[in-house]
Amino acid sequence: MKASPDVYVTIKELRNELGAGGSAILRDYDEVAGEKAFRRAWIEREGFDINALRIVRVKGDSMVPYVFHGNPVLINTKEKRIIDGEHY
């Protein structure tokens, strides 16, 4: 059964890694590994641009106990502001 686009959107999951205290290879391109489904209502409620969202896995342990090595995280590539006390 296929997920309804009215209810779900798919976000690209990348092979690229997010360096968190370890040495991650920085690529200047996105290597797509697959897609994950998210509820459209949540994406819209948060005000995200679907085309600017990506999923990447964390490499390293500098964000423990909040994010652990290997965890997938949702990245909003349009957000460029740095806010004191937040995670980046």
Side-chain angles (χ1 to χ4, degrees), residues 16-83:
N16 309 45
E17 294 174 317
L18 175 66
S23 58
I25 298 171
L26 299 176
R27 296 183 174 107
D28 59 355
Y29 61 92
D30 291 342
E31 187 178 341
V32 178
E35 295 180 331
K36 300 285 187 210
F38 285 79
R39 289 192 176 274
R40 179 179 292 279
W42 179 77
I43 298 290
E44 291 173 354
R45 186 172 57 245
E46 293 297 320
F48 294 141
D49 175 351
I50 295 166
N51 297 314
L53 298 176
R54 300 290 183 272
I55 301 165
V56 295
R57 297 218 174 244
V58 172
K59 181 176 182 176
D61 60 2
S62 72
M63 297 199 294
V64 170
Y66 305 104
V67 182
F68 292 85
H69 176 80
N71 283 160
V73 293
L74 182 65
I75 302 294
N76 178 5
T77 63
K78 279 199 171 180
E79 184 59 63
K80 307 290 185 195
R81 297 176 300 138
I82 297 177
I83 302 169

